[in-house]
Amino acid sequence: MALRQEPSASYHPVQDALRVLESVARRGTGVNDTELARETGIPAERLTTLLRMLRREAYVEQIADGAYVTGTAFGRLGSAEGHDEALRDQLQHTLDRIRDSVGAAVYMTRYVDGEVEVTQYADGPATPKVNEWVDFRSCAHATAMGKSLLTQLDHDGRRDHLARHRMARLTSRTITSDRLLLSRLASQPPTVPVLDLQEYAVGTVCAAVPITAGSSVGCLALSLPVEHAHRLRRAADTLNRNAAPVLLSLAI
């Protein structure tokens, strides 16, 4: 199984953020934004946005004279001891914040050993997660998260997955033709969120965006009750913009 080669929408922000973090870490006593702009070559406006994100996620901190130093999250993720726990905690913090930002339940999903796996999620009383009435592993063809993962595979990888999982009709909107699904997956732009408009469950709409990191295939997804379907595209765009912190956590 190979990956498609198109970069995700969050690729450049993550690469820029890593360059900023490298500069901050190299200058242990602190570095100001003017020095960072000169060292990284990142334009001032974009650098300001990156530093705001890095401070929010606790990757950098600003000290009394306005200079930046590495933050607690960077220290925890950069340590081999307890890295997995630190990564899970950092991702959960980010998912909780995205949930509050988009007003929807949010999911992090990975494609592991040929199967769809929801690794973490953030929900709440006002943002309940979708009822998994059919195992997500068996219905990638009907969910936004599943289709987002499949778009990141090559054609043979998609065909292999569909050969192992029968495309059952879950609602009247579910695609059950492998030819139609493969055509839609092939034409899906990598930077555009994948949508599920009551294909998995009547009463629920979903969106997903890719978070490919190296050879790891993943996505961020959200779900909304159908009465909030008018918010779906805007929520999906917000989700897309918030993918960078998740990719950054995976890259450190």
Side-chain angles (χ1 to χ4, degrees), residues 7 11 33 47 59 83 94 111 119 122 127 140 142 147-148 152 156-157 160 176 193 199 222 231-233 235 239 248:
Y11 177 82
D33 49 4
L47 179 61
Y59 289 121
H83 175 269
T94 303
Y111 197 68
T119 55
T127 54
K147 287 185 287 184
S148 180
Q152 297 171 65
D156 289 341
D160 172 74
T176 56
E199 296 171 52
L222 64 83
R231 295 201 293 115
L232 183 62
R233 292 190 181 277
L239 189 73
L248 184 58

Side-chain angles (χ1 to χ4, degrees), residues 226-244:
V226 70
E227 55 265 30
H228 291 280
H230 62 281
R231 295 201 293 115
L232 183 62
R233 292 190 181 277
R234 181 175 296 179
D237 289 340
T238 302
L239 189 73
N240 209 9
R241 290 194 300 271
N242 280 274

Side-chain angles (χ1 to χ4, degrees), residues 4-5 23 31 38 40 58 183 199 215 233 245:
R4 294 177 73 187
Q5 296 302 309
S23 293
V31 56
R38 183 172 62 250
T40 63
S183 174
E199 296 171 52
S215 60
R233 292 190 181 277

Side-chain angles (χ1 to χ4, degrees), residues 59-178:
Y59 289 121
V60 302
E61 298 173 3
Q62 203 166 15
I63 56 181
D65 63 357
Y68 293 92
V69 296
T70 55
T72 55
F74 181 79
R76 290 189 67 202
L77 286 176
S79 173
E81 184 177 352
H83 175 269
D84 290 348
E85 182 181 356
L87 176 59
R88 186 171 183 84
D89 289 347
Q90 184 66 22
L91 289 172
Q92 193 62 50
H93 164 78
T94 303
L95 293 178
D96 289 345
R97 181 184 55 74
I98 296 174
R99 173 201 60 202
D100 296 339
S101 177
V102 301
V106 177
Y107 314 78
M108 182 170 175
T109 309
R110 308 288 287 277
Y111 197 68
V112 181
D113 297 329
E115 301 295 346
V116 175
E117 181 179 327
V118 177
T119 55
Q120 287 178 248
Y121 64 89
D123 65 348
T127 54
K129 64 185 180 71
V130 67
N131 173 36
E132 189 178 349
W133 75 284
V134 177
D135 193 324
F136 290 142
R137 290 174 297 182
S138 65
C139 54
H141 66 289
T143 65
M145 64 178 73
K147 287 185 287 184
S148 180
L149 295 174
L150 292 177
T151 63
Q152 297 171 65
L153 307 182
D154 62 12
H155 181 75
D156 289 341
R158 295 171 194 157
R159 290 199 67 88
D160 172 74
H161 183 92
L162 296 178
R164 290 183 288 109
H165 296 282
R166 186 174 64 87
M167 295 175 59
R169 184 178 299 280
L170 305 183
T171 77
S172 63
R173 295 174 177 264
T174 306
I175 296 173
T176 56
S177 162
D178 57 351

